[in-house]
Amino acid sequence: MGDTMQLKEEGNKHFQAGDIDKAIECYTNAIKVCKDKKMLAVIHRNRSACYLKKESYANAASDASKAIDVDAADIKALYRRCQALEKLGKLDMAFKDVQRCATLEPKNKTFLETLRRLGAEIQAKLKTTFSTDSRVQNMFDILLDEESEKDRKESAANNLIVLSREDAGAERIFQNNGVTLLLNMIETGKPEMILAAVRTLSGMCTGHKARTMAIVHMVGVDKMCSIMALDNEEIALAVCNLFQCINDSLTGADSREYGKDTDLVLDASKDLKTILVALLEMVASKKVSGHGRDQALNLLNKNVPRKDKKERDHSRTLFTVDHGLKKILKVCGQVPELPDQLPMTENTQLIASVLLNKLYDDLRCDPERNNFRDICDEYIKSKIDPNDMDKTIHSVNTISGLLQGPFEVGNALVGHQGVMEMVVALCGSEREVDQMVAVEALIHASSKISRANFFITNSVSLLKDIYKKTKNERIKIRALVGLCKLGSAGGDDYSLRQFAEGSTEKLAKQCRKWLCNPQIDTKTRKWAIEGLAYLTNDADVKDDFVEDEFAMQAMFELAKSKDKTILYAVACILVNCTNSYDKKEIIPELVQLAKFSKQHVPEQHPKDKKDFIQKRVKRLLKAGITSALAVMVKADSSILTDQTKEMLARVFLALSEDPNDRGTIVAQGGGKALIPLALEGADAGKVKASYALAKIAAISNPEIAFPGERVYEVVRPLVNLLHTDRDGIQNFEALRGLTNLAGFSEKLRVKIVKEKALPEIENYMFEEHDQLRLAATECMCNLVTCKEVQDRYLEDGNDKLKLLVLLCGEEDDDKLQIAAAGALAMITAAEKKLCKKMTLVTTQWLEILQRLCLHTNPMIQHRGLVIVYNMLNSDNSEVAQKLIESEMLEILSVVGKAEDNPKRQEAIDAARTCLVKAMDLGLIKPFTSPS
């Protein structure tokens, strides 16, 4: 019993100190060892209060119920359960609890007020429910009435979708036979009706497992797949979103609290497997449209491989490899120029390659990877037929798909006996399609310098031969890209050029010529960009490219087109032109050592120096790079891989380097475009995008840079940049960005606090680095008007207020004093208790305050005098008396008696207000001359 009491008391102390996590830990340990039922009830009741503070309402209700089970008249537990149930949306149950409280204590104003408020809310909810029922029926009547006007139907459809996104509205639609009526809408076959029905089903399936399972069984997975198979991009995307909502609800990926009953135990594994099998069937089905196939592959991309490699279960990947790998390979091998191929869009095969890469990357051991390779090997061998050229080029195209996905698997297949010979034979074929497939395979195979040596010796002559002999532009350009790729194998190392001086510039000039020719088809012009992606490793080529405005415009227009397979190549060109790739620092001593030992030393091209890079950035901005990047960021998540996102983030960061260019970036939509890059993808890309976002947020009007609700999404990336493992300059820019946002609105200040930025900001206020400390103090100055921040300063047991007072005394830094004194002035005006606390945290408070009031900088002096006024106005006579009995009275008199001066008028007026307040308090008397 002694241990229980001790743990309980420790929990109480932590709770009172505001350390809720420690309090929960103590109460939990006490529960484990407690044997006494009554004591156990008290501990559960106390832990319930902790969970309320943590906004963990389900746990709070559960703990309060355990206390009530022991004592049904436990008024504290009843009220805590009432508060938790209200937050969970269970108003009727909360009402019963507070009704019981009011019965036990009929004069308690809090209970009576809560009873009245909950009663009113329940009445309003009932009213809404009844009116919702009639609205739902009315909407379906309009939608299914053949004679309804088009505008009325559109309005009804939109209202239905909006209603389905609210939990109460979705439940009303479901209860009112809504699923059957939605199926009737789908059966009309009209695209707008199908879209409205599918989007409504998505809303109904969001975050509600039981309702989702019922809808899946009522509509049927096959039916949903058949709708997604339609040749309509918008409908395919809507059904894809429906499947995603279903998956998130059934797997628990949607973790938002909807106030629904979470106690149901439902096994969704069978439904999830049915969906997976159906999607794999869609991948290789001829009945599925290109848009439908893209979305099926997108869903597999997003939901099959593990998001976190620490998770043990990767059974979905193993199932997909065993039952769907050959289907995905079939998609990669399609040659659109041949008859009887699967319907595809420009993006289908790249999405399939990305999926192959993710599946292979998700395998955990060598036997699993060997199985993957064996299936690929078996599939390729089954397609090679010397007597059937169509089957053979299908196998070569499949290898190209693997080379764009899991490279090592494709590379191993290229090395198999007969494959290279087959490619050479195809290069010599008279059929255009054979040559195209072969040349593309050569291009994809020569990806890395270490592996390109074989191709440099064997393929350069072959590609040159094709380039010179063929009159077909489509093949000529592909051969050129192969030469470009092999020619750039040395990267940006000036001393490792593969071809003779000037050759790369000639190749680049030809690529730009094709790129700017609108007579050539888009797919062929895309290859010109592929070529430039390799050639722009050369600084001469970069400079020529940014000087060619027509080439840049042509590339940007292609980047905005529907063919998104081009994104990676465009991103490569932009990274090369802005030199935003990682560069190893060259240490002169090591260079000398390397030369002495006759080792290779990388050389920087003269045109890769800073001033050349800045000129290129300016030209790209002038050409409208930002609007092109904004369109690229919106691409489908499967095509916009983490690597591409990182490259786009690098480009944005390079563009935002000069503060004078940030206005241009904002004007062209760059602020909004950076948000998804900062929130999604790999850490490296997110950090760079967050850094660029911080630079823009620091000096832009948030209302213009991030219009509407988007501004609230900016906060989290900036808070993530405050982590101590980030660079100091990143911390600094993040603090500046948050300072600007915090000065914009109360809602943004609350958002910053909710993202748990305060501890990080407070840490940087202790920082020795002057700029970091100043930035953190300025940020805190803008945050102190927020109630949660004020509460932290009121808490005992910390040095927050002491630090703020001491920072006011940093006389070597005017900016720091302005920020610290400004924060102190605002916070003492808002919380009068802090005026007393300020005198207790440090003995230097009076000296610091006097120095502020005598400061030569009028802004600092004004803030000091406002603090003095707040202390006189604090309803604490002891504090006011201490001030007036000190030299402060003399300071106030000197400042207040000064002549009016526009430069110092605010300070003079503040001093006079202080003297008037002191007179009102009877601490000083007005001067009267003797009669």
Side-chain angles (χ1 to χ4, degrees), residues 756-837:
K756 298 181 178 155
L758 284 180
E760 301 283 3
I761 296 166
E762 286 160 358
N763 284 342
Y764 288 114
M765 287 173 72
F766 284 96
E767 180 65 51
E768 288 182 15
H769 192 287
D770 292 345
Q771 284 182 295
L772 274 175
R773 185 174 53 181
L774 171 61
T777 309
E778 287 177 336
C779 189
M780 186 58 74
C781 180
N782 281 359
L783 285 169
V784 290
T785 55
C786 187
K787 187 73 176 73
E788 286 90 335
V789 180
Q790 293 163 13
D791 290 344
R792 285 174 75 90
Y793 276 89
L794 282 167
E795 288 169 7
D796 292 325
N798 63 65
D799 288 331
K800 295 180 180 65
L801 189 62
K802 181 179 178 180
L803 176 64
L804 210 51
V805 175
L806 293 175
L807 289 176
C808 290
E810 290 282 338
E811 293 187 347
D812 297 335
D813 191 336
D814 277 14
K815 286 183 179 177
L816 182 62
Q817 280 188 291
I818 288 169
L824 199 56
M826 285 189 282
I827 205 165
T828 50
E831 287 291 346
K832 292 182 177 181
K833 290 178 186 175
L834 289 173
C835 295
K836 171 67 177 171
K837 187 176 178 182

XYZ file of all heavy atoms in Angstrom, residues 756-837:
638
model
N 3.578 21.751 -31.414
C 4.610 21.557 -30.387
C 5.921 22.268 -30.721
O 7.021 21.723 -30.534
C 4.853 20.063 -30.161
C 3.596 19.382 -29.655
C 3.780 17.925 -29.385
C 2.493 17.334 -28.831
N 2.326 15.937 -29.052
N 5.786 23.496 -31.229
C 6.973 24.274 -31.580
C 7.572 24.993 -30.372
O 8.758 25.326 -30.375
C 6.616 25.300 -32.659
N 6.758 25.242 -29.327
C 7.215 26.080 -28.212
C 8.491 25.574 -27.534
O 9.413 26.366 -27.301
C 6.103 26.241 -27.172
C 4.979 27.219 -27.553
C 3.956 27.289 -26.440
C 5.526 28.601 -27.834
N 8.595 24.269 -27.176
C 9.840 23.813 -26.521
C 11.078 24.091 -27.374
O 12.123 24.481 -26.847
C 9.612 22.306 -26.340
C 8.127 22.136 -26.348
C 7.612 23.181 -27.272
N 10.946 23.889 -28.708
C 12.086 24.117 -29.605
C 12.451 25.605 -29.639
O 13.626 25.980 -29.560
C 11.743 23.642 -31.036
C 11.370 22.183 -31.147
C 12.572 21.250 -31.099
O 13.703 21.740 -30.918
O 12.374 20.031 -31.208
N 11.432 26.471 -29.728
C 11.679 27.921 -29.780
C 12.343 28.379 -28.480
O 13.300 29.160 -28.481
C 10.368 28.695 -30.045
C 9.806 28.331 -31.423
C 10.582 30.202 -29.959
C 8.374 28.764 -31.654
N 11.837 27.867 -27.358
C 12.409 28.227 -26.049
C 13.869 27.784 -25.946
O 14.708 28.501 -25.394
C 11.579 27.593 -24.925
C 10.243 28.307 -24.718
C 9.225 27.442 -23.978
O 9.540 26.279 -23.659
O 8.103 27.925 -23.737
N 14.180 26.597 -26.491
C 15.572 26.114 -26.466
C 16.496 27.074 -27.200
O 17.618 27.344 -26.758
C 15.681 24.728 -27.113
C 15.149 23.638 -26.199
O 15.024 23.859 -25.002
N 14.826 22.487 -26.757
N 16.018 27.574 -28.363
C 16.867 28.485 -29.153
C 17.009 29.853 -28.484
O 17.945 30.584 -28.794
C 16.328 28.619 -30.581
C 16.564 27.373 -31.392
C 15.507 26.589 -31.850
C 17.862 26.944 -31.690
C 15.725 25.425 -32.574
C 18.095 25.784 -32.416
C 17.019 25.027 -32.850
O 17.263 23.873 -33.556
N 16.101 30.190 -27.569
C 16.257 31.443 -26.806
C 17.444 31.341 -25.832
O 17.985 32.348 -25.384
C 14.972 31.768 -26.048
C 13.845 32.246 -26.959
S 12.278 32.429 -26.105
C 12.591 33.890 -25.110
N 17.849 30.117 -25.494
C 19.021 29.891 -24.636
C 20.305 29.773 -25.466
O 21.393 29.643 -24.926
C 18.860 28.591 -23.835
C 17.918 28.696 -22.669
C 16.590 28.310 -22.784
C 18.356 29.189 -21.443
C 15.718 28.402 -21.717
C 17.483 29.277 -20.366
C 16.162 28.892 -20.498
N 20.152 29.762 -26.791
C 21.269 29.511 -27.704
C 22.356 30.596 -27.588
O 22.051 31.772 -27.432
C 20.720 29.470 -29.147
C 21.725 29.225 -30.237
C 22.373 27.866 -30.161
O 21.649 26.854 -30.062
O 23.610 27.828 -30.180
N 23.609 30.161 -27.699
C 24.722 31.127 -27.639
C 24.869 31.896 -28.948
O 25.368 33.015 -28.962
C 26.037 30.388 -27.327
C 26.110 29.902 -25.885
C 27.437 29.222 -25.585
O 28.384 29.388 -26.384
O 27.526 28.508 -24.572
N 24.448 31.265 -30.057
C 24.560 31.934 -31.352
C 23.614 33.133 -31.392
O 22.402 32.998 -31.220
C 24.212 30.938 -32.470
C 24.563 31.432 -33.835
N 23.859 32.412 -34.468
C 25.572 31.085 -34.673
C 24.397 32.645 -35.652
N 25.449 31.847 -35.800
N 24.164 34.329 -31.627
C 23.391 35.568 -31.523
C 22.173 35.594 -32.438
O 21.069 35.983 -32.026
C 24.286 36.776 -31.838
C 25.343 36.988 -30.763
O 25.184 36.395 -29.675
O 26.313 37.729 -31.006
N 22.354 35.183 -33.712
C 21.250 35.286 -34.682
C 20.122 34.301 -34.363
O 18.949 34.636 -34.496
C 21.771 35.055 -36.100
C 22.522 36.264 -36.650
C 22.985 36.026 -38.070
O 23.823 35.155 -38.321
N 22.457 36.786 -39.005
N 20.500 33.097 -33.934
C 19.483 32.108 -33.571
C 18.688 32.574 -32.352
O 17.467 32.449 -32.298
C 20.135 30.754 -33.275
C 20.395 29.830 -34.473
C 21.151 28.585 -34.026
C 19.090 29.413 -35.143
N 19.411 33.109 -31.364
C 18.756 33.575 -30.145
C 17.803 34.730 -30.457
O 16.680 34.785 -29.962
C 19.820 34.018 -29.135
C 19.262 34.419 -27.772
C 20.354 34.704 -26.784
N 21.308 35.673 -27.312
C 22.390 36.096 -26.661
N 22.651 35.615 -25.471
N 23.206 36.983 -27.185
N 18.240 35.652 -31.331
C 17.397 36.783 -31.712
C 16.150 36.301 -32.452
O 15.033 36.736 -32.143
C 18.199 37.748 -32.605
C 17.397 38.875 -33.268
C 16.757 39.778 -32.228
C 18.271 39.680 -34.220
N 16.346 35.382 -33.424
C 15.211 34.883 -34.208
C 14.188 34.193 -33.304
O 12.969 34.371 -33.467
C 15.701 33.917 -35.283
N 14.672 33.400 -32.333
C 13.766 32.690 -31.422
C 13.012 33.674 -30.531
O 11.809 33.516 -30.280
C 14.563 31.709 -30.563
N 13.709 34.716 -30.065
C 13.070 35.711 -29.186
C 12.017 36.504 -29.954
O 10.935 36.787 -29.438
C 14.131 36.654 -28.578
O 15.171 35.859 -27.995
C 13.525 37.545 -27.514
N 12.315 36.862 -31.195
C 11.337 37.574 -32.041
C 10.103 36.704 -32.284
O 8.965 37.194 -32.274
C 11.977 37.975 -33.366
C 12.956 39.126 -33.231
C 13.664 39.492 -34.519
O 13.771 38.626 -35.420
O 14.134 40.632 -34.636
N 10.344 35.409 -32.491
C 9.231 34.474 -32.702
C 8.360 34.403 -31.443
O 7.129 34.459 -31.525
C 9.785 33.097 -33.063
S 8.517 31.933 -33.601
N 9.006 34.301 -30.283
C 8.267 34.237 -29.020
C 7.492 35.537 -28.781
O 6.361 35.525 -28.271
C 9.241 33.974 -27.865
C 8.557 33.745 -26.528
S 7.375 32.351 -26.559
C 8.509 30.965 -26.589
N 8.083 36.656 -29.182
C 7.420 37.957 -29.034
C 6.078 37.964 -29.778
O 5.089 38.503 -29.284
C 8.333 39.059 -29.564
S 7.619 40.701 -29.430
N 6.048 37.330 -30.961
C 4.803 37.280 -31.739
C 3.826 36.226 -31.225
O 2.653 36.238 -31.588
C 5.115 37.016 -33.215
C 5.588 38.263 -33.930
O 5.663 39.333 -33.336
N 5.923 38.140 -35.207
N 4.329 35.303 -30.408
C 3.468 34.213 -29.918
C 2.840 34.496 -28.552
O 1.875 33.837 -28.169
C 4.275 32.913 -29.818
C 4.598 32.188 -31.133
C 5.620 31.087 -30.890
C 3.340 31.587 -31.769
N 3.381 35.472 -27.796
C 2.952 35.630 -26.404
C 1.498 36.089 -26.242
O 0.948 35.994 -25.150
C 3.872 36.591 -25.597
C 5.226 35.974 -25.362
C 3.962 37.948 -26.257
N 0.883 36.560 -27.313
C -0.536 36.945 -27.186
C -1.439 35.715 -27.153
O -2.632 35.818 -26.870
C -0.966 37.848 -28.365
O -0.681 37.169 -29.583
C -0.234 39.174 -28.330
N -0.874 34.541 -27.427
C -1.644 33.284 -27.434
C -1.801 32.781 -25.990
O -0.836 32.733 -25.220
C -0.886 32.256 -28.273
S -1.786 30.747 -28.553
N -3.006 32.398 -25.616
C -3.320 31.993 -24.232
C -2.462 30.825 -23.767
O -1.978 30.802 -22.630
C -4.808 31.616 -24.154
C -5.300 31.327 -22.735
C -5.431 32.614 -21.908
C -6.009 32.379 -20.526
N -5.100 31.737 -19.602
N -2.231 29.832 -24.652
C -1.433 28.662 -24.264
C 0.004 29.063 -23.904
O 0.606 28.491 -22.997
C -1.393 27.621 -25.402
C -2.680 26.856 -25.598
C -3.616 27.545 -26.575
O -3.503 28.782 -26.734
O -4.479 26.867 -27.152
N 0.535 30.059 -24.598
C 1.900 30.523 -24.317
C 1.929 31.228 -22.959
O 2.835 31.013 -22.147
C 2.394 31.467 -25.438
C 3.810 31.956 -25.136
C 2.361 30.751 -26.786
N 0.930 32.049 -22.719
C 0.844 32.755 -21.430
C 0.758 31.768 -20.271
O 1.391 31.964 -19.227
C -0.370 33.688 -21.435
C -0.238 34.849 -22.409
C -1.561 35.526 -22.724
O -2.569 35.293 -22.051
N -1.577 36.343 -23.767
N 0.007 30.699 -20.467
C -0.127 29.669 -19.416
C 1.225 29.036 -19.090
O 1.506 28.717 -17.931
C -1.125 28.587 -19.848
C -2.555 29.113 -19.868
O -2.800 30.182 -19.276
O -3.419 28.475 -20.493
N 2.051 28.849 -20.135
C 3.386 28.258 -19.900
C 4.246 29.190 -19.044
O 5.034 28.740 -18.210
C 4.094 27.987 -21.240
C 3.558 26.778 -21.983
C 4.200 26.653 -23.344
N 5.560 26.162 -23.293
C 5.908 24.872 -23.340
N 4.970 23.962 -23.413
N 7.170 24.519 -23.321
N 4.119 30.483 -19.241
C 4.897 31.440 -18.441
C 4.371 31.533 -17.010
O 5.116 31.877 -16.093
C 4.876 32.819 -19.110
C 5.937 32.953 -20.195
C 5.671 32.593 -21.513
C 7.214 33.393 -19.881
C 6.647 32.684 -22.500
C 8.203 33.497 -20.855
C 7.909 33.134 -22.159
O 8.888 33.223 -23.119
N 3.090 31.211 -16.829
C 2.507 31.235 -15.477
C 2.903 30.022 -14.648
O 2.885 30.056 -13.427
C 0.975 31.309 -15.569
C 0.380 32.686 -15.902
C -1.085 32.541 -16.275
C 0.535 33.644 -14.717
N 3.259 28.908 -15.344
C 3.607 27.665 -14.641
C 4.841 27.873 -13.763
O 5.764 28.606 -14.129
C 3.900 26.544 -15.642
C 2.660 26.014 -16.349
C 3.029 25.097 -17.515
O 4.226 24.781 -17.674
O 2.117 24.723 -18.271
N 4.857 27.198 -12.619
C 6.011 27.253 -11.731
C 7.040 26.208 -12.143
O 6.722 25.268 -12.879
C 5.576 26.989 -10.282
C 4.708 28.137 -9.745
O 4.973 29.289 -10.134
O 3.780 27.862 -8.965
N 8.260 26.389 -11.644
C 9.287 25.362 -11.858
C 10.026 25.487 -13.170
O 10.594 24.514 -13.658
N 10.001 26.660 -13.833
C 10.791 26.834 -15.048
C 11.373 28.250 -15.087
O 10.967 29.125 -14.326
C 9.955 26.561 -16.299
C 8.807 27.535 -16.459
O 9.020 28.732 -16.647
N 7.569 27.026 -16.379
N 12.337 28.466 -15.977
C 13.049 29.752 -16.051
C 12.626 30.589 -17.255
O 13.378 31.468 -17.698
C 14.569 29.498 -16.124
C 15.116 29.002 -14.796
O 14.534 29.352 -13.755
O 16.113 28.256 -14.802
N 11.449 30.306 -17.787
C 11.036 31.005 -19.010
C 10.963 32.520 -18.803
O 11.488 33.300 -19.595
C 9.672 30.484 -19.488
C 9.680 29.027 -19.934
C 8.289 28.602 -20.393
C 8.275 27.152 -20.838
N 8.554 26.202 -19.771
N 10.279 32.948 -17.728
C 10.123 34.380 -17.469
C 11.462 35.012 -17.098
O 11.775 36.135 -17.529
C 9.096 34.601 -16.355
C 8.665 36.062 -16.137
C 7.996 36.636 -17.364
C 7.730 36.177 -14.929
N 12.250 34.292 -16.329
C 13.573 34.793 -15.935
C 14.422 35.079 -17.173
O 15.086 36.125 -17.269
C 14.270 33.758 -15.034
C 15.656 34.204 -14.562
C 16.281 33.138 -13.663
C 17.677 33.561 -13.226
N 18.303 32.552 -12.347
N 14.399 34.133 -18.139
C 15.179 34.297 -19.365
C 14.739 35.549 -20.119
O 15.570 36.331 -20.597
C 15.029 33.059 -20.254
C 15.717 33.148 -21.626
C 17.228 33.252 -21.467
C 15.358 31.941 -22.493
N 13.416 35.748 -20.207
C 12.877 36.899 -20.928
C 13.346 38.212 -20.278
O 13.746 39.152 -20.968
C 11.341 36.823 -20.933
C 10.605 37.442 -22.121
C 11.145 36.953 -23.443
C 9.110 37.139 -22.016
N 13.332 38.245 -18.953
C 13.781 39.451 -18.222
C 15.274 39.683 -18.468
O 15.704 40.810 -18.745
C 13.492 39.316 -16.705
C 14.072 40.505 -15.942
C 11.996 39.196 -16.450
N 16.065 38.598 -18.387
C 17.516 38.739 -18.567
C 17.872 39.157 -19.995
O 18.825 39.909 -20.214
C 18.231 37.437 -18.204
C 18.169 37.042 -16.715
C 18.801 35.682 -16.484
C 18.854 38.096 -15.837
N 17.104 38.658 -20.972
C 17.353 39.050 -22.372
C 17.092 40.542 -22.584
O 17.701 41.173 -23.442
C 16.487 38.225 -23.335
C 16.858 36.751 -23.495
C 15.862 36.029 -24.385
C 18.270 36.589 -24.073
N 16.192 41.099 -21.785
C 15.925 42.548 -21.851
C 17.164 43.349 -21.431
O 17.302 44.529 -21.769
C 14.767 42.937 -20.934
S 13.173 42.343 -21.516
N 18.057 42.717 -20.700
C 19.259 43.397 -20.213
C 20.469 43.238 -21.126
O 21.560 43.692 -20.789
N 20.290 42.578 -22.292
C 21.405 42.383 -23.235
C 21.666 43.689 -23.985
O 21.162 43.913 -25.093
C 21.066 41.248 -24.229
C 21.041 39.884 -23.615
C 22.435 39.321 -23.395
O 23.386 39.769 -24.060
O 22.582 38.436 -22.540
N 22.474 44.565 -23.408
C 22.613 45.923 -23.932
C 23.417 46.008 -25.217
O 23.426 47.041 -25.887
C 23.229 46.827 -22.858
C 22.289 47.017 -21.667
C 22.805 48.040 -20.668
O 23.984 48.407 -20.762
O 22.014 48.475 -19.806
N 24.128 44.940 -25.582
C 24.932 44.976 -26.805
C 24.094 44.719 -28.053
O 24.605 44.814 -29.164
C 26.056 43.916 -26.734
C 27.027 44.215 -25.596
O 27.118 45.405 -25.228
O 27.657 43.277 -25.088
N 22.847 44.325 -27.883
C 22.027 43.927 -29.035
C 20.652 44.598 -28.958
O 19.756 44.135 -28.260
C 21.885 42.396 -29.040
C 21.289 41.876 -30.343
O 20.591 42.656 -31.033
O 21.503 40.687 -30.663
N 20.500 45.718 -29.663
C 19.234 46.459 -29.633
C 18.058 45.625 -30.124
O 16.967 45.663 -29.545
C 19.345 47.721 -30.498
C 20.005 48.865 -29.730
O 20.597 48.591 -28.665
O 19.934 50.017 -30.207
N 18.282 44.856 -31.202
C 17.178 44.057 -31.775
C 16.672 43.031 -30.770
O 15.469 42.797 -30.651
C 17.630 43.356 -33.061
C 17.771 44.299 -34.242
C 18.159 43.514 -35.494
C 18.295 44.425 -36.700
N 18.729 43.690 -37.896
N 17.602 42.399 -30.059
C 17.225 41.396 -29.060
C 16.447 42.053 -27.922
O 15.432 41.517 -27.454
C 18.482 40.699 -28.517
C 18.253 39.586 -27.494
C 17.446 38.451 -28.089
C 19.590 39.050 -26.965
N 16.904 43.242 -27.497
C 16.190 43.946 -26.428
C 14.778 44.351 -26.865
O 13.830 44.248 -26.091
C 16.980 45.199 -26.006
C 18.136 44.874 -25.062
C 18.765 46.146 -24.504
O 19.401 46.900 -25.231
N 18.582 46.380 -23.222
N 14.648 44.798 -28.099
C 13.318 45.180 -28.625
C 12.374 43.987 -28.575
O 11.232 44.083 -28.129
C 13.437 45.727 -30.071
C 14.088 47.120 -30.050
C 12.069 45.796 -30.754
C 14.492 47.632 -31.432
N 12.863 42.805 -29.043
C 12.021 41.601 -29.074
C 11.667 41.135 -27.658
O 10.492 40.851 -27.361
C 12.737 40.492 -29.836
N 12.676 41.050 -26.782
C 12.451 40.540 -25.423
C 11.549 41.493 -24.632
O 10.607 41.055 -23.953
C 13.784 40.345 -24.712
N 11.831 42.806 -24.732
C 11.018 43.785 -23.992
C 9.596 43.851 -24.553
O 8.625 44.011 -23.800
C 11.677 45.162 -24.062
N 9.478 43.671 -25.870
C 8.144 43.638 -26.490
C 7.330 42.465 -25.977
O 6.145 42.598 -25.646
N 7.977 41.290 -25.911
C 7.302 40.086 -25.400
C 6.881 40.296 -23.946
O 5.752 39.968 -23.548
C 8.222 38.874 -25.522
N 7.796 40.861 -23.137
C 7.520 41.080 -21.710
C 6.389 42.093 -21.523
O 5.524 41.928 -20.653
C 8.802 41.553 -21.011
C 8.848 41.407 -19.491
C 8.602 39.965 -19.062
C 10.205 41.877 -18.963
N 6.377 43.130 -22.369
C 5.329 44.153 -22.280
C 3.958 43.547 -22.576
O 2.976 43.797 -21.869
C 5.629 45.289 -23.248
N 3.886 42.710 -23.627
C 2.591 42.127 -24.015
C 2.116 41.089 -23.014
O 0.934 41.014 -22.687
C 2.701 41.515 -25.422
C 2.731 42.557 -26.528
S 2.602 41.835 -28.168
C 4.254 41.232 -28.409
N 3.052 40.278 -22.526
C 2.640 39.178 -21.651
C 2.252 39.688 -20.256
O 1.332 39.160 -19.621
C 3.751 38.096 -21.586
C 3.129 36.740 -21.215
C 4.873 38.465 -20.647
C 4.028 35.571 -21.468
N 2.911 40.768 -19.780
C 2.530 41.322 -18.469
C 1.220 42.098 -18.565
O 0.503 42.240 -17.572
C 3.643 42.235 -17.908
O 4.032 43.177 -18.923
C 4.848 41.435 -17.451
N 0.901 42.582 -19.777
C -0.399 43.250 -19.975
C -1.526 42.224 -19.972
O -2.615 42.474 -19.449
C -0.399 44.028 -21.290
N -1.240 41.043 -20.530
C -2.271 40.004 -20.641
C -2.465 39.249 -19.330
O -3.574 38.854 -18.988
C -1.896 39.030 -21.756
N -1.386 39.005 -18.578
C -1.447 38.218 -17.340
C -0.851 39.023 -16.182
O 0.372 39.113 -16.029
C -0.693 36.891 -17.515
C -1.403 35.877 -18.385
C -2.661 35.314 -17.741
O -2.841 35.504 -16.520
O -3.454 34.687 -18.463
N -1.700 39.625 -15.377
C -1.236 40.501 -14.287
C -0.400 39.759 -13.251
O 0.487 40.336 -12.617
C -2.436 41.170 -13.615
C -3.144 42.169 -14.532
C -4.295 42.859 -13.835
C -4.944 43.893 -14.751
N -6.045 44.612 -14.108
N -0.654 38.440 -13.090
C 0.105 37.652 -12.103
C 1.596 37.631 -12.430
O 2.436 37.474 -11.543
C -0.415 36.215 -12.063
C -1.800 36.079 -11.450
C -2.245 34.629 -11.505
C -3.690 34.453 -11.036
N -4.149 33.065 -11.211
N 1.920 37.784 -13.720
C 3.322 37.727 -14.123
C 4.105 38.946 -13.644
O 5.329 38.899 -13.544
C 3.425 37.601 -15.656
C 3.004 36.249 -16.240
C 2.973 36.296 -17.744
C 3.937 35.128 -15.772
N 3.400 40.051 -13.362
C 4.082 41.250 -12.856
C 4.727 40.955 -11.497
O 5.860 41.355 -11.221
C 3.097 42.409 -12.737
S 2.451 42.948 -14.334
N 4.022 40.238 -10.642
C 4.555 39.845 -9.339
C 5.653 38.798 -9.510
O 6.725 38.876 -8.899
C 3.406 39.286 -8.475
C 3.836 38.641 -7.159
C 4.420 39.651 -6.179
C 4.761 38.999 -4.849
N 5.516 39.901 -3.963
N 5.359 37.813 -10.407
C 6.317 36.721 -10.619
C 7.645 37.269 -11.158
O 8.717 36.764 -10.817
C 5.732 35.704 -11.603
C 6.580 34.445 -11.758
C 5.940 33.413 -12.665
C 6.844 32.208 -12.816
N 6.298 31.191 -13.709
